[in-house]
Amino acid sequence: MRTAVYPGSFDPITNGHLDIIERSSKVFDKVIVSILTNSSKKPAFTVEERIEMIKKATAHIPNVEVDSFDGLLVNYVHEKKSNVIIKGLRAISDFEYEFQMAHANKMLAPDIETLFMMSSNNYQYLSSSLVKELANLNGSISELVPECIKQQIEEKF
Ligand code: PNS
């Protein structure tokens, strides 16, 4: 059984995240989407809200699990009996930060591989921050987030 962990803030989940989840669910037997709970970032949505939104948005994918973690990602990946971290890579802006994290994780846990999946073209410039900014200013987020959670996001702002 090949299990991969897809970690992130998912504040909130976007179509860009969903694209990575759908594609990686075809490569692995199980994909665990996991929210970092002890982030220094101040989230707009609670962990419970974010879990609920991811569950709704991935309800059509049978081999996806939604969870949360704190502390070191590599410890969590071991706990889940996995050795693969999935990361989405957009344009060039993500590269430096992701490169650094992949190296740190490799140093901490040499048995764990970080696999990067390039974001699909339409989502290269999509981020949770952009979604929050648009929602806050009453701009349309229809193209950017799964339809089933759009209302919940709009209600928050
Ligand atoms: O969606 P994000 O905010 O870019 O996700 C970042 C995340 C959660 C993947 C990253 O911050 C993380 O893995 N944090 C856990 C702490 C950790 O293991 N740090 C060591 C790697 S540098």
Side-chain angles (χ1 to χ4, degrees):
M1 171 105 150
R2 305 290 302 176
T3 301
V5 172
Y6 179 41
S9 306
F10 306 104
D11 186 43
I13 184 171
T14 68
N15 283 338
H17 296 127
L18 190 56
D19 169 56
I20 302 290
I21 297 168
E22 280 170 347
R23 287 161 57 205
S24 48
S25 73
K26 291 177 188 149
V27 181
F28 291 92
D29 299 310
K30 181 158 92 178
V31 175
I32 306 175
V33 182
S34 204
I35 300 170
L36 175 69
T37 57
N38 63 337
S39 170
S40 54
K41 296 181 194 170
K42 176 111 186 58
F45 295 90
T46 66
V47 173
E48 291 71 27
E49 285 170 327
R50 285 180 273 163
I51 288 180
E52 190 201 322
M53 286 191 283
I54 301 171
K55 280 188 175 164
K56 267 194 204 166
T58 60
H60 61 292
I61 319 170
N63 56 335
V64 167
E65 242 178 64
V66 187
D67 193 20
S68 61
F69 75 102
D70 57 21
L72 281 179
L73 173 61
V74 290
N75 292 347
Y76 174 77
V77 173
H78 281 151
E79 245 172 62
K80 292 289 156 185
K81 309 261 180 283
S82 170
N83 61 354
V84 178
I85 297 166
I86 299 278
K87 287 299 192 80
L89 210 52
R90 292 164 300 189
I92 47 171
S93 55
D94 284 333
F95 184 76
E96 204 165 323
Y97 177 60
E98 291 297 343
F99 192 76
Q100 195 177 37
M101 276 206 291
H103 273 280
N105 287 331
K106 197 74 192 165
M107 184 185 69
L108 294 167
D111 59 311
I112 294 178
E113 293 297 340
T114 302
L115 298 187
F116 291 100
M117 200 171 266
M118 274 198 284
S119 295
S120 298
N121 277 345
N122 354 0
Y123 306 132
Q124 288 289 332
Y125 299 100
L126 173 52
S127 67
S128 298
S129 311
L130 180 76
V131 167
K132 285 180 276 193
E133 169 130 14
L134 281 173
N136 200 24
L137 299 169
N138 291 319
S140 170
I141 55 166
S142 297
E143 306 290 305
L144 311 184
V145 299
E147 182 59 34
C148 57
I149 60 161
K150 190 180 142 225
Q151 196 181 344
Q152 190 173 347
I153 297 168
E154 285 168 346
E155 277 166 9
K156 181 69 113 184
F157 293 95

